[in-house]
Every structure is written in structure tokens, then in C-alpha cells.
Amino acid sequence: MDLYHNIYDDGFEDQRDPEYEILMENAQVQDFSDMNLPNYTAQAVEDMLSVERDYIDTKDLCLKILAELKGHNIPQELFATRIISRSQGTLSDLLGKPKPWEMLRAGRNTFKRMYNWMVQPYETRMAILFGDPVGTVAVSTPSPRNKRNKRQSSSPGDSAPKKPRLVFTETQKNALVKVFKETERPSSKMQKVIADHLHLDVSTVNNFFMNARRRRHRAARTSEEQDQEQYFQ
DNA sequence: TGAAAGTCAATAAC
DNA sequence: GTTATTGACTTTCA
């Protein structure tokens, strides 16, 4: 499917304008300090990004955002923090494997912000990304969640030492995958047996199956879509 | 209350 | 240096 199909009637700016063409040719351009970008207040930015939307073609949007970031050499880290108030890893995951709008719940908000950024004129998009908004936002909508701040703050200086991230050994991983192929939803009893056998916490085993189910279904959906696209070509 | 959804953030991969 | 992956935490929902 064409990346920019329906570009003229879906609310997105016409990206074939001369300015866009020049920028795409000079993808190295990254210094916006001398561009005289408009300076919005934090509240104005928030108002722009939080406009309600009834429906968003998430897949199409993500392709456009990816092209925009790549075309202008905008780091994901910057976009993630400035536009959606999320981490780089989360953004990468969302852009690479977007869930369809109808399957989203609270997560719609994140796509809504990406969409609302994308429909702005070029100068506004860059001003939001690189600008230094004045003032504060009256209602703190998308800020990182309270308890998450707690999680983030458990860094140097904190009394509780950070738990190192577990990486499954090859044996553990192989065994877990093997069981998963046979049963995606093992009973608590079975999970306990697996945990004991692999010298893992039951919660770790439970997390593995939870993540595996979610990620497998997402992968299945993606390949289904690809099949459909090939069929309709 | 348990499962699903949303996400963080370390770190693997490029 | 940047992006993708992924185990685990937090929030939402039935």
C-alpha cells in the first residue's frame, strides 16, 4: 500500500510542498535555531496535542511518523519525550507494531498525540519538538504516571538497590518457548512446576506467558495484515 | 482479583 | 549513537 495514500483528504499536511522536498533532500538539516520558529506556550502545545479524535488509522500514521523522523533526522528519544511523554523504547514499539484503533483503550491517547502533531504545519511541528515552551500546563494530561516516577527514581541515591534485569539462559528460554507452543495458558500449578524446574520465580514464569501471549497475538495480526495486503495487490 | 493493556527502561542489535 | 527487544512494573478492566 502506498505510504502516502489519501494524503490530501486525511487531514495531513501536503508533504509534497517545496519546503518539504528541500528538507527531504537535505535530511541532515537539524539545526532549527536560526529558523525563527514560532514559540508556543506549554498550554498552547498541550491544547494542540490533546484534540480528541474519533478514529485514527494507526498503521498509516506510524508509517508517516517514521518517515518524518527519518527524513528530518529526529531522534526517537526526542519525539517520544516531547510529543507523547513516553520512553524511546515504547515509541519504537508503538511505531513498529501499532495496534489497530479499535483494539486500543487508554493507549488511544498516545496515538492521538502523535496524530495531532503530524497534522500541524511543518513549522509548528518543529517548534513543538525543538522549542522551549513558556509557562505550565493547567491540566497535566500525559505526564508519566505517578507511581512510574517512583520506579524511575530508584536510581543512584535511592536506598533500594535496583534489581538487575533478568536475561533468560538459553535453556530457560528454550524450555519456556517449548511449553508456550503447547499451551499458551498454563495453570498456576503448571507454572509452579516450570518455575521450580528452571530455577525461576513463579512471577517470572507468569510474566513470560503474559508477555508471550500478547506479543504472539500482535505478531499474528501483523502477518495477517501482510497477507491481506499481498492478496489485494 | 486476576488478566490484559500500557509502559518503563536496561540492554541487545544495528 | 540510535533503534529494537523484552522482563517486569503500573494501570485498567471485567
Side-chain angles (χ1 to χ4, degrees), chain A residues 111-155:
Chain A
F111 285 96
K112 194 181 72 187
R113 294 179 73 84
M114 290 199 264
Y115 181 91
N116 287 334
W117 177 81
M118 196 66 205
V119 294
Q120 299 302 325
Y122 172 74
E123 279 202 355
T124 308
R125 292 203 296 275
M126 295 308 121
I128 296 174
L129 267 181
F130 296 96
D132 185 18
V134 257
T136 51
V137 180
V139 187
S140 57
T141 339
S143 56
R145 299 158 191 198
N146 297 338
K147 290 192 180 173
R148 202 151 273 150
N149 287 336
K150 209 182 272 177
R151 185 158 128 191
Q152 286 167 344
S153 69
S154 65
S155 35

Side-chain angles (χ1 to χ4, degrees), chain A residues 3-49:
Chain A
L3 174 61
Y4 292 111
H5 75 288
N6 291 335
I7 192 87
Y8 301 105
D9 58 7
D10 63 0
F12 289 109
E13 183 191 11
D14 177 3
Q15 297 187 338
R16 293 189 301 192
D17 65 352
E19 183 181 42
Y20 183 81
E21 292 297 336
I22 291 164
L23 275 158
M24 290 305 280
E25 282 170 21
N26 302 288
Q28 299 306 316
V29 175
Q30 214 177 353
D31 182 14
F32 293 90
S33 56
D34 59 345
M35 274 192 58
N36 233 350
L37 293 171
N39 195 26
Y40 297 102
T41 63
Q43 186 63 59
V45 170
E46 186 52 35
D47 289 346
M48 279 189 258
L49 298 181

Side-chain angles (χ1 to χ4, degrees), chain A residues 23 33 39 51 63 68 70-71 73 82 87-88 101 105 107 148 150 155 162 169 171 176 179 182 191 207 223-224:
Chain A
L23 275 158
S33 56
N39 195 26
V51 174
L63 288 172
E68 184 81 352
K70 193 164 272 187
N73 279 338
R82 295 295 293 257
S87 68
Q88 175 275 323
W101 182 254
R105 295 175 183 181
R148 202 151 273 150
K150 209 182 272 177
S155 35
K162 201 179 244 175
T169 64
T171 312
L176 287 166
V179 175
E182 284 167 26
Q191 287 187 33
N207 282 334
S223 69
E224 229 172 71

Side-chain angles (χ1 to χ4, degrees), chain A residues 76-90:
Chain A
Q76 286 189 0
E77 174 76 41
L78 178 72
F79 184 85
T81 50
R82 295 295 293 257
I83 309 301
I84 61 172
S85 300
R86 296 288 173 261
S87 68
Q88 175 275 323
T90 296

Side-chain angles (χ1 to χ4, degrees), chain A residues 29 47 55 60 92 94-95 155 165 171 189-190 192 204 226:
Chain A
V29 175
D47 289 346
Y55 173 79
D60 184 60
S92 172
L94 291 174
L95 292 177
S155 35
R165 182 182 159 169
T171 312
K189 210 173 185 178
M190 192 170 171
K192 173 82 171 71
T204 297
Q226 281 169 353

